[in-house]
mmCIF file of all heavy atoms in Angstrom:
data_model
loop_
_atom_site.group_PDB
_atom_site.id
_atom_site.type_symbol
_atom_site.label_atom_id
_atom_site.label_comp_id
_atom_site.label_asym_id
_atom_site.label_seq_id
_atom_site.Cartn_x
_atom_site.Cartn_y
_atom_site.Cartn_z
ATOM 1 N N CYS A 904 -64.686 -21.065 -4.002
ATOM 2 C CA CYS A 904 -63.753 -22.144 -3.670
ATOM 3 C C CYS A 904 -64.508 -23.335 -3.081
ATOM 4 O O CYS A 904 -65.523 -23.184 -2.410
ATOM 5 C CB CYS A 904 -62.698 -21.657 -2.688
ATOM 6 S SG CYS A 904 -61.723 -20.268 -3.314
ATOM 7 N N SER A 905 -63.980 -24.525 -3.329
ATOM 8 C CA SER A 905 -64.641 -25.730 -2.851
ATOM 9 C C SER A 905 -63.614 -26.788 -2.471
ATOM 10 O O SER A 905 -62.434 -26.693 -2.829
ATOM 11 C CB SER A 905 -65.595 -26.285 -3.916
ATOM 12 O OG SER A 905 -64.863 -26.654 -5.078
ATOM 13 N N GLY A 906 -64.054 -27.778 -1.744
ATOM 14 C CA GLY A 906 -63.220 -28.899 -1.348
ATOM 15 C C GLY A 906 -64.127 -30.073 -1.018
ATOM 16 O O GLY A 906 -65.356 -29.927 -0.921
ATOM 17 N N SER A 907 -63.555 -31.242 -0.872
ATOM 18 C CA SER A 907 -64.361 -32.422 -0.572
ATOM 19 C C SER A 907 -63.555 -33.406 0.253
ATOM 20 O O SER A 907 -62.321 -33.321 0.329
ATOM 21 C CB SER A 907 -64.854 -33.093 -1.857
ATOM 22 O OG SER A 907 -63.759 -33.585 -2.611
ATOM 23 N N THR A 908 -64.251 -34.330 0.865
ATOM 24 C CA THR A 908 -63.600 -35.389 1.634
ATOM 25 C C THR A 908 -64.520 -36.606 1.652
ATOM 26 O O THR A 908 -65.711 -36.506 1.358
ATOM 27 C CB THR A 908 -63.281 -34.931 3.071
ATOM 28 O OG1 THR A 908 -62.419 -35.881 3.691
ATOM 29 C CG2 THR A 908 -64.541 -34.807 3.906
ATOM 30 N N VAL A 909 -63.939 -37.754 1.995
ATOM 31 C CA VAL A 909 -64.683 -39.013 2.038
ATOM 32 C C VAL A 909 -64.598 -39.581 3.446
ATOM 33 O O VAL A 909 -63.518 -39.615 4.047
ATOM 34 C CB VAL A 909 -64.133 -40.032 1.023
ATOM 35 C CG1 VAL A 909 -64.872 -41.360 1.141
ATOM 36 C CG2 VAL A 909 -64.231 -39.486 -0.399
ATOM 37 N N ILE A 910 -65.729 -40.005 3.980
ATOM 38 C CA ILE A 910 -65.788 -40.605 5.308
ATOM 39 C C ILE A 910 -66.252 -42.048 5.151
ATOM 40 O O ILE A 910 -67.220 -42.322 4.432
ATOM 41 C CB ILE A 910 -66.785 -39.858 6.223
ATOM 42 C CG1 ILE A 910 -66.478 -38.365 6.235
ATOM 43 C CG2 ILE A 910 -66.760 -40.414 7.635
ATOM 44 C CD1 ILE A 910 -67.274 -37.573 5.255
ATOM 45 N N THR A 911 -65.554 -42.959 5.800
ATOM 46 C CA THR A 911 -65.930 -44.370 5.753
ATOM 47 C C THR A 911 -66.504 -44.792 7.104
ATOM 48 O O THR A 911 -65.871 -44.598 8.139
ATOM 49 C CB THR A 911 -64.727 -45.261 5.408
ATOM 50 O OG1 THR A 911 -64.190 -44.867 4.142
ATOM 51 C CG2 THR A 911 -65.138 -46.727 5.343
ATOM 52 N N ILE A 912 -67.703 -45.335 7.067
ATOM 53 C CA ILE A 912 -68.339 -45.852 8.277
ATOM 54 C C ILE A 912 -68.445 -47.368 8.151
ATOM 55 O O ILE A 912 -69.056 -47.878 7.207
ATOM 56 C CB ILE A 912 -69.750 -45.263 8.496
ATOM 57 C CG1 ILE A 912 -69.688 -43.729 8.533
ATOM 58 C CG2 ILE A 912 -70.358 -45.807 9.780
ATOM 59 C CD1 ILE A 912 -68.901 -43.184 9.684
ATOM 60 N N GLY A 913 -67.811 -48.076 9.068
ATOM 61 C CA GLY A 913 -67.920 -49.526 9.070
ATOM 62 C C GLY A 913 -69.171 -49.950 9.818
ATOM 63 O O GLY A 913 -69.628 -49.276 10.739
ATOM 64 N N ALA A 914 -69.748 -51.042 9.392
ATOM 65 C CA ALA A 914 -70.944 -51.562 10.057
ATOM 66 C C ALA A 914 -70.640 -52.950 10.597
ATOM 67 O O ALA A 914 -70.218 -53.836 9.862
ATOM 68 C CB ALA A 914 -72.119 -51.615 9.094
ATOM 69 N N SER A 915 -70.829 -53.104 11.889
ATOM 70 C CA SER A 915 -70.570 -54.392 12.529
ATOM 71 C C SER A 915 -71.773 -55.319 12.350
ATOM 72 O O SER A 915 -72.915 -54.917 12.520
ATOM 73 C CB SER A 915 -70.295 -54.192 14.026
ATOM 74 O OG SER A 915 -70.166 -55.434 14.672
ATOM 75 N N THR A 916 -71.490 -56.548 11.940
ATOM 76 C CA THR A 916 -72.563 -57.523 11.785
ATOM 77 C C THR A 916 -73.142 -57.868 13.154
ATOM 78 O O THR A 916 -72.411 -58.182 14.088
ATOM 79 C CB THR A 916 -72.057 -58.808 11.115
ATOM 80 O OG1 THR A 916 -71.503 -58.466 9.846
ATOM 81 C CG2 THR A 916 -73.175 -59.816 10.930
ATOM 82 N N ASN A 917 -74.438 -57.802 13.257
ATOM 83 C CA ASN A 917 -75.076 -58.111 14.527
ATOM 84 C C ASN A 917 -74.930 -59.598 14.840
ATOM 85 O O ASN A 917 -74.903 -60.436 13.938
ATOM 86 C CB ASN A 917 -76.557 -57.734 14.487
ATOM 87 C CG ASN A 917 -76.745 -56.239 14.362
ATOM 88 O OD1 ASN A 917 -75.892 -55.475 14.798
ATOM 89 N ND2 ASN A 917 -77.837 -55.825 13.761
ATOM 90 N N PRO A 918 -74.815 -59.943 16.119
ATOM 91 C CA PRO A 918 -74.600 -61.354 16.472
ATOM 92 C C PRO A 918 -75.830 -62.198 16.181
ATOM 93 O O PRO A 918 -76.953 -61.706 16.163
ATOM 94 C CB PRO A 918 -74.313 -61.296 17.969
ATOM 95 C CG PRO A 918 -75.057 -60.084 18.431
ATOM 96 C CD PRO A 918 -74.931 -59.091 17.308
ATOM 97 N N SER A 919 -75.598 -63.464 15.934
ATOM 98 C CA SER A 919 -76.694 -64.414 15.778
ATOM 99 C C SER A 919 -76.740 -65.276 17.026
ATOM 100 O O SER A 919 -75.925 -66.182 17.202
ATOM 101 C CB SER A 919 -76.479 -65.282 14.531
ATOM 102 O OG SER A 919 -77.502 -66.243 14.422
ATOM 103 N N VAL A 920 -77.660 -64.946 17.904
ATOM 104 C CA VAL A 920 -77.763 -65.688 19.158
ATOM 105 C C VAL A 920 -78.457 -67.010 18.880
ATOM 106 O O VAL A 920 -79.611 -67.046 18.446
ATOM 107 C CB VAL A 920 -78.534 -64.887 20.216
ATOM 108 C CG1 VAL A 920 -78.628 -65.677 21.515
ATOM 109 C CG2 VAL A 920 -77.861 -63.545 20.443
ATOM 110 N N GLY A 921 -77.747 -68.098 19.089
ATOM 111 C CA GLY A 921 -78.314 -69.412 18.819
ATOM 112 C C GLY A 921 -79.444 -69.738 19.774
ATOM 113 O O GLY A 921 -79.610 -69.123 20.825
ATOM 114 N N SER A 922 -80.234 -70.707 19.391
ATOM 115 C CA SER A 922 -81.341 -71.120 20.245
ATOM 116 C C SER A 922 -80.816 -71.574 21.603
ATOM 117 O O SER A 922 -79.786 -72.243 21.699
ATOM 118 C CB SER A 922 -82.116 -72.269 19.589
ATOM 119 O OG SER A 922 -82.653 -71.850 18.359
ATOM 120 N N VAL A 923 -81.551 -71.204 22.635
ATOM 121 C CA VAL A 923 -81.188 -71.623 23.980
ATOM 122 C C VAL A 923 -81.474 -73.113 24.113
ATOM 123 O O VAL A 923 -82.561 -73.578 23.769
ATOM 124 C CB VAL A 923 -81.974 -70.840 25.022
ATOM 125 C CG1 VAL A 923 -81.667 -71.348 26.424
ATOM 126 C CG2 VAL A 923 -81.646 -69.355 24.896
ATOM 127 N N THR A 924 -80.470 -73.850 24.541
ATOM 128 C CA THR A 924 -80.639 -75.297 24.664
ATOM 129 C C THR A 924 -80.819 -75.693 26.116
ATOM 130 O O THR A 924 -80.137 -75.203 27.001
ATOM 131 C CB THR A 924 -79.422 -76.039 24.082
ATOM 132 O OG1 THR A 924 -78.246 -75.615 24.781
ATOM 133 C CG2 THR A 924 -79.258 -75.738 22.607
ATOM 134 N N SER A 925 -81.785 -76.560 26.345
ATOM 135 C CA SER A 925 -82.035 -77.066 27.689
ATOM 136 C C SER A 925 -83.162 -78.080 27.606
ATOM 137 O O SER A 925 -83.867 -78.170 26.593
ATOM 138 C CB SER A 925 -82.427 -75.940 28.641
ATOM 139 O OG SER A 925 -82.838 -76.493 29.879
ATOM 140 N N GLN A 926 -83.346 -78.841 28.676
ATOM 141 C CA GLN A 926 -84.543 -79.640 28.785
ATOM 142 C C GLN A 926 -85.717 -78.687 28.949
ATOM 143 O O GLN A 926 -85.598 -77.608 29.508
ATOM 144 C CB GLN A 926 -84.436 -80.572 30.007
ATOM 145 C CG GLN A 926 -84.334 -79.824 31.331
ATOM 146 C CD GLN A 926 -83.645 -80.625 32.407
ATOM 147 O OE1 GLN A 926 -82.446 -80.716 32.408
ATOM 148 N NE2 GLN A 926 -84.433 -81.230 33.305
ATOM 149 N N SER A 927 -86.873 -79.076 28.418
ATOM 150 C CA SER A 927 -88.018 -78.172 28.469
ATOM 151 C C SER A 927 -88.938 -78.437 29.644
ATOM 152 O O SER A 927 -89.785 -77.613 29.961
ATOM 153 C CB SER A 927 -88.819 -78.281 27.166
ATOM 154 O OG SER A 927 -89.277 -79.613 26.998
ATOM 155 N N LEU A 928 -88.798 -79.608 30.283
ATOM 156 C CA LEU A 928 -89.673 -79.932 31.403
ATOM 157 C C LEU A 928 -88.856 -80.301 32.630
ATOM 158 O O LEU A 928 -87.857 -81.004 32.534
ATOM 159 C CB LEU A 928 -90.592 -81.107 31.045
ATOM 160 C CG LEU A 928 -91.496 -80.928 29.827
ATOM 161 C CD1 LEU A 928 -92.258 -82.212 29.565
ATOM 162 C CD2 LEU A 928 -92.440 -79.767 30.036
ATOM 163 N N ILE A 929 -89.237 -79.806 33.765
ATOM 164 C CA ILE A 929 -88.630 -80.209 35.032
ATOM 165 C C ILE A 929 -89.740 -80.502 36.031
ATOM 166 O O ILE A 929 -90.900 -80.109 35.832
ATOM 167 C CB ILE A 929 -87.685 -79.133 35.605
ATOM 168 C CG1 ILE A 929 -88.453 -77.857 35.924
ATOM 169 C CG2 ILE A 929 -86.520 -78.848 34.652
ATOM 170 C CD1 ILE A 929 -87.610 -76.823 36.640
ATOM 171 N N CYS A 930 -89.408 -81.206 37.082
ATOM 172 C CA CYS A 930 -90.398 -81.561 38.102
ATOM 173 C C CYS A 930 -90.025 -80.935 39.439
ATOM 174 O O CYS A 930 -88.851 -80.669 39.715
ATOM 175 C CB CYS A 930 -90.456 -83.088 38.270
ATOM 176 S SG CYS A 930 -90.925 -83.967 36.759
ATOM 177 N N SER A 931 -91.031 -80.706 40.258
ATOM 178 C CA SER A 931 -90.767 -80.167 41.598
ATOM 179 C C SER A 931 -90.784 -81.247 42.650
ATOM 180 O O SER A 931 -90.333 -81.031 43.783
ATOM 181 C CB SER A 931 -91.792 -79.089 41.944
ATOM 182 O OG SER A 931 -93.096 -79.658 41.955
ATOM 183 N N LEU A 932 -91.370 -82.402 42.325
ATOM 184 C CA LEU A 932 -91.454 -83.508 43.272
ATOM 185 C C LEU A 932 -90.870 -84.763 42.638
ATOM 186 O O LEU A 932 -90.981 -84.961 41.419
ATOM 187 C CB LEU A 932 -92.908 -83.749 43.691
ATOM 188 C CG LEU A 932 -93.601 -82.608 44.461
ATOM 189 C CD1 LEU A 932 -95.079 -82.947 44.647
ATOM 190 C CD2 LEU A 932 -92.912 -82.376 45.805
ATOM 191 N N PRO A 933 -90.227 -85.574 43.389
ATOM 192 C CA PRO A 933 -90.035 -85.463 44.854
ATOM 193 C C PRO A 933 -88.957 -84.445 45.227
ATOM 194 O O PRO A 933 -88.874 -84.041 46.388
ATOM 195 C CB PRO A 933 -89.641 -86.873 45.257
ATOM 196 C CG PRO A 933 -88.943 -87.407 44.056
ATOM 197 C CD PRO A 933 -89.670 -86.838 42.873
#
C-alpha cells in the first residue's frame, strides 16, 4: 500500500537595505 502528499514551502524575499545616507565628514572643532 502507498500514499502521497504535497507540501508547499513559501520563501520570503530578503529585504534590500538601501545605502545608509549621511554626510561623510564631521568636525570636532570648534
Side-chain angles (χ1 to χ4, degrees):
C904 301
S905 62
S907 64
T908 192
V909 177
I910 308 95
T911 301
I912 304 296
S915 175
T916 302
N917 294 332
S919 177
V920 180
S922 299
V923 176
T924 59
S925 172
Q926 63 205 78
S927 60
L928 302 176
I929 63 173
C930 300
S931 62
L932 296 173

